[in-house]
Each structure stands twice: as C-alpha cells, then as structure tokens.
Amino acid sequence: MKKIIVAGGGIAGLTTGIYARLAGYEAEIYEKNPVVGGECMGWNRNGYHIDNCIHWLTGTKPDTSLYNVWKTVGAIDENTKYGDITEFYTCELNGQTATLWHDLEKTRKELIQISPEDEEEINKFIEHVEYAKQCLIPSEKPMEMMGIKDYIDMGKEMADMPKVMKEYGKINLSQLADRFKNPLIKMLMSEYMPKEYVAYSFLVSYATMASGNGNVPLGGSLAMSLRMRDKFVSLGGKVFTGKAVEEIIIENGTATGIKLEDGSIHKADYIIPTVDFNVLFNKLVDKKYMPAELKDAYADEKAYPVTSGFQAAFTVKGSMPIRGTVLFPCDEFRMGNKTYDRLSYKVYDYDELFKKDGKTVIQAHIVQDHEDYYFWKGLSAEEYKTKKAEYAEMMKEQLEKRFPELKGNLELLDVWTPLTYERYCGAYHGAYMSFVTTPGRKSFKTKGTVKGIKNMYLAGQWTMAPGGLPVAAVSGKFAVQRILKSEHKDIKVD
Ligand SMILES: Cc1cc2nc3c(=O)[nH]c(=O)nc-3n(C[C@H](O)[C@H](O)[C@H](O)COP(=O)(O)OP(=O)(O)OC[C@H]3O[C@@H](n4cnc5c(N)ncnc54)[C@H](O)[C@@H]3O)c2cc1C
C-alpha cells in the first residue's frame, strides 16, 4: 500500500488523512501541537471553555457537496445539533441598534423603519443577499478536473450569483456604506469585516447564515476537530502529536519524506503539507520553490490584507443586555498605532458548554492586520505581557461603561493576540484566514502542486482566499484526488 504523510493536523490535515485512508493509502499525520485542530480550537480556563473558531460552519445544509465532505470526515451528521442563533450581528450607534437577522424580511422591515430614506438601497441589499444564498463552495472535485457538464450544473445552481458579483463585486465595504444615508445603516454595512474587504464577501457570509447553510454545531470547535481525529483513527490512520516537521525531504526533485525536529526521518510516497504557507515555504522547503503569486502577495501588504484579532474572554454573571455579536461605541482609545472608538463582543450563550454557575463566557474582539502584527512583534517580552493585560482591562472598563449593570460581574479568563496565532499555528502575521480579496484584485489562489517538487500536493486554507474551514477541508480532499488522478485511478472518494 502506498503511503501519504500529512504535515499539520488542522482541519485540512485531518480531512486529507481521512480521504487518504478512504482512497486506500496508508496515512500518517504529524502535528506539532499536543492536540490536533490547529485554528479550529478551544481551551479551558478556570473551569470555563473558550471557543476560538466556529462563528458559522459553511456547509451545514444537507444535500450540498460540502455537507457531504463534512459528513464523510465525521465533523457533522444528521444528528448534529446546532446553536439556536437568530442573528448575524447587531450594530449600535447613538443608543439605537440595527440587526442583520437570519430572517431577511425581519431585517428588511427593521432597517426600513430605522431609515425610510434608504428603502430602495435596503431592498436591493436584501434582494442580493437572497441571491447570495445560492453561493456554494464546489466540493466534488478540483476545478481542473471539472468538465463542461460540471460547469453547466454549477451555473444552474448559482444562476443568480453573477447579479451579486455585478452589484457588489467591484466595491469594498466603505463604498457599500456610502450607498446609504443613515449613519447607523452605514455602520452596519461596513463594520463587521474590515472596510477594505470586497462587499460581496459580506453578503455571502450573511446569506450563508441566513440560509441555514452556516450553522454552529453544539459542543464547540475543538470537539469537531476531535471527532475528525477519531474518524481518521477509526479508519486506520495514525496521528502523531507533539511532532513538529522540520523539513520536507526532496531528492532529485521528488518529495520522499519528512524530517522531524527530533531528528527522525519518515519516508512516504507522497507528502501533503497542510501547514501555513509561511511555514511551508520559509522553513519546510527551500524558499526558491515559493510560487510567484504567493511571493507577490507577501510583497504587497496593502493589496493583500490579512485578518487576525486581539481577543479577551470574560465570564459575565447573569446575561448580557444585548445578545449575539454586537459592535458598540466606546470612549476613544489607542491600541498600537491606531485609535478606536468602537468595540465588539460576542456572547456564547447558545451552548451550555460555555455556561457554569450562573455565568456565561463572552469575548471582546478587535480586528488586527499587518500593521498591528508589527506593533506586537516590536514589543519586548515584558512590554508584551504588560500591554496585553492593559488592553484587556481597558476592554473590561469599556464594557462596564457601556453597560453599567456589568460592573463587578465581569471576570477576565484569557487574552490573546496575533502573536498567539503565530506561536500556536505558525500563522503568517497571526492571520487565521487566508488573504483578503480587495476590489480590483484577483482572489488569491494557488495550484495544488509546486513547480520543481514531484509527489508533493498542497492543502490548507492558504491554497485559496478567503481560507476558512470549508477551503481547508475541501483542499484536503482535492489533494488526495490529485494523487489518484496522477495514478490514473477513479477520483471518486466518499
Ligand atoms: C477566531 C477565529 C474565528 C474563526 N471563525 C471561523 C468561522 O466562523 N468559519 C470558518 O470557516 N472559519 C473560521 N476561522 C478560520 C478557521 O479556523 C481556519 O480557516 C481553519 O481552521 C484553517 O485550517 P487549516 O488546517 O488550513 O490550517 P491550520 O488550522 O493552521 O492547521 C495547520 C496545522 O499545522 C500545524 N503546524 C504548523 N507548523 C507545523 C510543523 N512544522 N510541523 C507540524 N505541524 C505544524 C499547526 O499547529 C496547525 O495545527 C476562524 C479562525 C479563528 C482563529
């Protein structure tokens, strides 16, 4: 039996391993951390569970090809229970709130009530969110293996998506906000994601949740990763945790194995790295193999933004006055080199996992980018510790100021920064998704192979913007299909 070695045990690595076993290969996963999951993670502090991934899992709607992938890898099935979440997010300004509800009619009514003068633009927005519900991630096979019939079927399934791209594919979120007159609606349109994001990605994200194709499985993100690990092991796969790959061995232009940091060497017929490309092309293989499109993206940080976060988890006694994910005004504060007057929090009250002794976990969040990463990176170890604590305290004060009833009821559990993602997953500038697509730029995408290295196939969220769990999972399946194709075998594996 031919053998596949997978470097990295995140969602992409686990999916790769499972499809490798289903396709009849011996499969081993090497993960540097003590537990699999990578960015799809959760951890405990003071007896509370902090979840740090799934806000929505695209592909929870049965009868879609992505659902079949999630089912095949043991992430979800027909018995999976989901959080009872009714809104995408809520924006607050001058004491008034606007919410993007999963129920689009409810949203339409609420927004028109807030701003009758924006009725036309609101109707257009809702109409296009409805169209965007058709946006599905092709998960049957890699694009290069698709035939005319596949494209025709895809075109039929997503017949209205071109309308979304035409209307919202060439503007960013700031420009989307400019189309509205009311300040609260402007903010609602441009605040959930960084303003330079192309507008259609916001509509697609909202539509995914609104259509029921982006539910949140109960039990948390880590539990989902562990279900996938168990599936892999049950199929006869081997997982090695606490085993960092130091090098992918290339002999005469062919990947033949890996060398671990402990010095041991492991041989295989195929290597599938699923690690962050920053780790892959700056550490595991020589830099000369870095694809040109990746080099270009690393060189132009303005054109290729990334998203990370400064986050703090708290427990709150009782319940939060506004549920869900909320962005609210706060006193102006400086963090790093930027000034902020808004803060966001998310209440984790949709799952008993995050509740104990009358308290519920909440998280406060500030989006971070390249510039913020450099700020954190420039601090000494002592300064880093101090700043983290200082900003977490500031978040607590701002929450208490906005909601005085929280005074004395908030307790800090943990704080983390872009450097945490870098340390834990090797994440490029702390990014937990791939490159952000900005208007006028082609969405970032790599081929599944690397010029000059035979028998190495790429997987992981960095293979395609915007990354995320679906890209991670599907890329693992595709990598195995590319191997099957190279051996002239049937690529159908389920
Ligand atoms: C706060 C937050 C919220 C998110 N929300 C969502 C969401 O709602 N929906 C969504 O779809 N996505 C979300 N994501 C993104 C999602 O978590 C990632 O896209 C996905 O988990 C990436 O999976 P991956 O396997 O490609 O990469 P990773 O998770 O980075 O996996 C790579 C693995 O390789 C390991 N590794 C690195 N170097 C080595 C080495 N030298 N040797 C061995 N192993 C190594 C790492 O430890 C890691 O386990 C969120 C992420 C975060 C952090």
Side-chain angles (χ1 to χ4, degrees):
M1 196 187 285
K2 285 194 173 178
K3 180 168 154 185
I4 295 177
I5 279 185
V6 182
I11 295 304
L14 293 164
T15 307
T16 307
I18 291 165
Y19 276 95
R21 287 298 302 139
L22 292 173
Y25 296 93
E26 210 182 308
E28 291 178 354
I29 297 174
Y30 291 85
E31 164 58 48
K32 79 175 179 64
N33 289 327
V35 62
V36 295
E39 304 280 14
C40 190
M41 193 41 62
W43 62 92
N44 297 330
R45 283 286 179 280
N46 305 347
Y48 289 88
H49 190 72
I50 299 172
D51 191 277
N52 199 43
C53 183
I54 308 174
H55 291 64
W56 65 88
L57 180 69
T58 304
T60 53
K61 207 172 186 176
D63 303 324
T64 60
S65 57
L66 184 55
Y67 176 84
N68 292 337
V69 171
W70 289 127
K71 200 173 161 190
T72 301
V73 299
I76 51 173
D77 61 24
E78 47 286 320
N79 299 317
T80 302
K81 296 216 170 4
Y82 300 106
D84 184 16
I85 299 170
T86 54
E87 67 287 309
F88 185 51
Y89 97 102
T90 295
C91 181
E92 192 199 40
L93 187 69
N94 302 327
Q96 195 180 17
T97 60
T99 300
L100 293 179
W101 302 99
H102 290 183
D103 178 344
L104 295 187
E105 278 316 304
K106 190 172 172 183
T107 303
R108 186 204 303 274
K109 276 193 199 127
E110 180 172 311
L111 301 194
I112 292 176
Q113 198 178 25
I114 292 170
S115 179
E117 69 272 28
D118 283 317
E119 181 165 356
E120 199 181 317
E121 210 49 57
I122 291 166
N123 283 333
K124 194 205 288 176
F125 174 76
I126 297 290
E127 184 188 354
H128 285 78
V129 174
E130 193 62 59
Y131 296 149
K133 286 182 178 177
Q134 292 175 353
C135 183
L136 297 173
I137 296 175
S139 314
E140 283 292 339
K141 54 182 119 166
M143 292 291 255
E144 76 270 15
M145 293 181 206
M146 283 170 59
I148 292 175
K149 186 177 173 315
D150 298 312
Y151 281 105
I152 291 173
D153 289 347
M154 201 164 84
K156 274 190 204 151
E157 258 181 8
M158 301 198 233
D160 291 320
M161 260 319 275
K163 294 181 192 160
V164 181
M165 298 307 289
K166 188 166 173 237
E167 192 60 43
Y168 298 99
K170 293 195 183 82
I171 55 166
N172 63 26
L173 291 174
S174 279
Q175 292 162 320
L176 171 63
D178 289 343
R179 292 183 175 184
F180 296 85
K181 298 185 184 81
N182 180 282
L184 174 59
I185 312 278
K186 276 176 183 288
M187 203 149 246
L188 181 74
M189 294 294 156
S190 59
E191 215 185 12
Y192 187 79
M193 294 170 164
K195 289 187 171 48
E196 61 271 34
Y197 270 44
V198 67
Y200 84 82
S201 60
F202 175 60
L203 273 82
V204 169
S205 301
Y206 177 28
T208 302
M209 285 197 87
S211 66
N213 193 30
N215 290 325
V216 181
L218 291 183
S221 303
L222 172 60
M224 187 175 98
S225 299
L226 296 180
R227 284 196 294 280
M228 291 173 63
R229 176 202 61 189
D230 293 348
K231 176 78 188 245
F232 175 61
V233 172
S234 76
L235 290 169
K238 292 189 186 129
V239 186
F240 300 94
T241 50
K243 296 284 177 193
V245 180
E246 186 177 273
E247 183 190 336
I248 292 175
I249 301 165
I250 298 164
E251 295 172 295
N252 301 321
T254 301
T256 59
I258 55 167
K259 185 177 169 206
L260 298 184
E261 279 183 4
D262 65 14
S264 60
I265 286 177
H266 304 264
K267 293 286 196 172
D269 299 283
Y270 300 102
I271 310 297
I272 304 186
T274 68
V275 296
D276 190 300
F277 280 178
N278 187 35
V279 176
L280 176 60
F281 293 106
N282 285 316
K283 180 176 172 190
L284 304 195
V285 299
D286 194 293
K287 269 193 178 64
K288 71 179 179 195
Y289 294 112
M290 188 183 285
E293 59 274 23
L294 184 64
K295 226 182 269 174
D296 291 348
Y298 283 157
D300 191 348
E301 293 179 354
K302 210 168 159 43
Y304 292 93
V306 292
T307 313
S308 187
F310 175 80
Q311 292 155 269
F314 302 89
T315 55
V316 59
K317 210 192 281 173
S319 54
M320 285 298 284
I322 310 176
R323 290 187 61 205
T325 299
V326 181
L327 277 117
F328 66 97
C330 62
D331 290 349
E332 204 170 88
F333 65 93
R334 268 190 84 72
M335 191 169 136
N337 303 318
K338 294 186 190 148
T339 304
Y340 301 82
D341 57 6
R342 310 269 302 166
L343 202 57
S344 89
Y345 69 80
K346 179 178 172 188
V347 188
Y348 286 77
D349 61 354
Y350 56 86
D351 192 337
E352 290 305 312
L353 177 69
F354 310 115
K355 295 179 187 172
K356 197 167 73 96
D357 302 334
K359 296 180 187 173
T360 303
V361 176
I362 67 163
Q363 274 186 39
H365 184 279
I366 297 172
V367 173
Q368 303 278 274
D369 58 16
H370 290 298
E371 195 187 335
D372 302 306
Y373 166 80
Y374 292 125
F375 159 72
W376 291 106
K377 202 68 185 166
L379 301 177
S380 69
E382 200 48 47
E383 286 167 337
Y384 177 69
K385 223 168 119 187
T386 312
K387 285 283 173 206
K388 250 173 55 163
E390 202 179 281
Y391 291 134
E393 183 56 30
M394 180 275 302
M395 281 174 150
K396 187 173 165 214
E397 282 167 13
Q398 300 277 11
L399 280 162
E400 288 173 345
K401 200 154 193 179
R402 167 61 192 88
F403 304 107
E405 58 271 50
L406 295 182
K407 211 157 177 61
N409 290 332
L410 285 174
E411 265 172 54
L412 181 66
L413 288 177
D414 206 358
V415 199
W416 57 108
T417 77
L419 298 196
T420 314
Y421 294 108
E422 181 182 58
R423 173 182 57 75
Y424 192 70
C425 285
Y428 165 67
H429 289 184
Y432 50 67
M433 299 277 286
S434 171
F435 294 110
V436 171
T437 305
T438 52
R441 293 272 164 185
K442 256 174 74 183
S443 191
F444 180 81
K445 199 166 161 221
T446 52
K447 290 200 189 92
T449 50
V450 172
K451 207 168 158 208
I453 310 180
K454 274 204 287 198
N455 294 358
M456 185 175 95
Y457 291 83
L458 301 176
Q461 66 161 335
W462 288 91
T463 52
M464 198 171 93
L469 296 163
V471 172
V474 165
S475 68
K477 175 182 175 182
F478 288 177
V480 173
Q481 287 177 313
R482 288 186 173 114
I483 292 175
L484 287 168
K485 175 95 175 164
S486 76
E487 294 184 353
H488 310 290
K489 290 184 179 156
D490 187 359
I491 59 154
K492 185 146 176 47
V493 243
D494 277 315

